[in-house]
Amino acid sequence: MVSLAHYKPITASERGVAISDHKLTDFTAEEVWQLIDNYRWLVFKDNPISEAEVKDFLHQFGPLTENNRRKGTVLNIDGSKADEGEVLLGEGFLPLHRDGALMGTNVLLVGIFCAEYKNITVGGRTFITDAENALKEVPQEYLDILRERGIEGKPVDSYYLKSADEWHPIPGFIDIDGKSYLNIGFPSPKGEKPSWLMRIPGISDDRFDEIFTTMTSVLMDEKYCYYHEWEEGDLLLFDNRKVLHGREAYRGERRALANIQVLAA
Ligand SMILES: [Fe+2]
């Protein structure tokens, strides 16, 4: 039994919590769920546990994603496909997204564990945003467009299991316990190679740019968005339904993260 009362939120919107006085496995599954429910994401620092321990702990919440992109239940995000021009498994920028949207899976929780982080000279932070509160600053007309039309995504990286030859419809929002949460992947910034393309059906390019320039500046503001500087052994754990996340492009010697997903029942 660990006291949860002394943890304080990271963002001004009161989401995210950093935990350096305990490791994940000091908590019960119920305690971790309570923290996730309150804060949406947890940052474990200074008390590394093994990748196997992370997997065993997360398995308490449901089945873990397994597919032929993974080694068992782990996706190694280690820059190994940078030479093949891949973004996700390379070193590129990943805009805000919800895991599983382009894979057609409903992912409840995501754990990202830092196995190696050596001499990264530029970028490399993972970011997580409190989209729920940030949306209060987004013009209602933009949200209405996303709700009515949804988005369409098209894979560019060969990583995704869906066809790269067609646009795949994705609902703009998902509903959880009577509340709705943004469900979309954002477009890549101009000048960055995309991992996926996206559009809003029936909306012009100019209007699309206007909507996403505004949404990006609000959702990536530090009032709502936490930028994580990795150290080996760190673990990020977040509610993949209620936040959006992404990562900066990076350059340097070696950055190896392990992504583990808990599927919704
Ligand atoms: Fe992701």
Side-chain angles (χ1 to χ4, degrees):
M1 188 76 186
V2 177
S3 166
L4 309 182
H6 64 291
Y7 295 120
K8 296 284 177 286
I10 295 171
T11 66
S13 68
E14 305 204 324
R15 298 298 194 211
V17 78
I19 298 172
S20 55
D21 58 346
H22 285 284
K23 56 185 187 289
L24 176 68
T25 48
D26 290 340
F27 297 88
T28 64
E30 289 73 24
E31 287 165 341
V32 167
W33 189 256
Q34 195 182 325
L35 286 167
I36 295 258
D37 203 36
N38 284 345
Y39 297 109
R40 306 293 192 258
W41 69 87
L42 312 180
V43 182
F44 288 93
K45 291 195 75 72
D46 302 339
N47 295 287
I49 58 174
S50 71
E51 189 179 286
E53 287 176 299
V54 176
K55 281 192 293 189
D56 285 348
F57 194 92
L58 294 188
H59 194 60
Q60 298 177 88
F61 297 102
L64 306 180
T65 300
E66 278 188 82
N67 57 43
N68 65 9
R69 302 296 193 258
R70 291 175 178 254
K71 265 197 192 125
T73 54
V74 172
L75 177 67
N76 290 308
I77 302 176
D78 56 5
S80 57
K81 295 203 170 182
D83 292 348
E84 297 169 36
E86 294 276 305
V87 175
L88 170 63
L89 298 180
E91 298 172 349
F93 182 93
L94 282 185
L96 289 169
H97 65 280
R98 178 172 177 240
D99 268 14
L102 261 187
M103 297 292 264
T105 52
N106 188 5
V107 177
L108 172 68
L109 289 176
V110 174
I112 306 177
F113 174 75
C114 184
E116 282 186 83
Y117 203 80
K118 289 196 173 60
N119 299 322
I120 299 301
T121 50
V122 180
R125 294 181 300 178
T126 292
F127 43 88
I128 304 181
T129 190
D130 172 18
E132 182 185 356
N133 283 308
L135 287 191
K136 294 171 190 162
E137 284 191 40
V138 173
Q140 188 60 42
E141 59 177 311
Y142 297 169
L143 303 179
D144 290 344
I145 288 170
L146 287 167
R147 188 176 296 281
E148 281 160 25
R149 296 172 180 269
I151 62 162
E152 293 179 333
K154 193 183 204 181
V156 177
D157 277 339
S158 66
Y159 164 77
Y160 303 101
L161 293 169
K162 289 202 173 171
S163 162
D165 297 329
E166 52 191 292
W167 290 94
H168 303 279
I170 298 169
F173 289 85
I174 48 167
D175 290 328
I176 302 153
D177 300 332
K179 266 189 100 166
S180 79
Y181 296 86
L182 199 59
N183 182 48
I184 63 177
F186 275 50
S188 285
K190 304 241 183 293
E192 300 278 355
K193 185 172 190 293
S195 181
W196 60 80
L197 300 175
M198 56 122 5
R199 66 182 186 184
I200 304 175
I203 293 294
S204 72
D205 290 351
D206 285 350
R207 182 76 161 147
F208 178 89
D209 287 347
E210 173 198 318
I211 292 170
F212 276 98
T213 301
T214 301
M215 298 236 314
T216 299
S217 69
V218 174
L219 270 75
M220 291 187 69
D221 188 299
E222 289 189 7
K223 198 167 14 162
Y224 306 108
C225 192
Y226 166 67
Y227 292 80
H228 184 69
E229 304 259 10
W230 287 103
E231 286 185 295
E232 287 177 10
D234 289 355
L235 171 69
L236 286 184
L237 187 59
F238 55 87
D239 186 332
N240 183 59
R241 305 164 308 166
K242 297 183 179 175
V243 303
L244 298 176
H245 67 283
R247 73 145 195 251
E248 297 172 333
Y250 63 94
R251 284 203 299 277
E253 188 181 329
R254 175 119 176 114
R255 176 190 188 273
L257 303 179
N259 168 297
I260 299 159
Q261 298 175 336
V262 179
L263 292 163

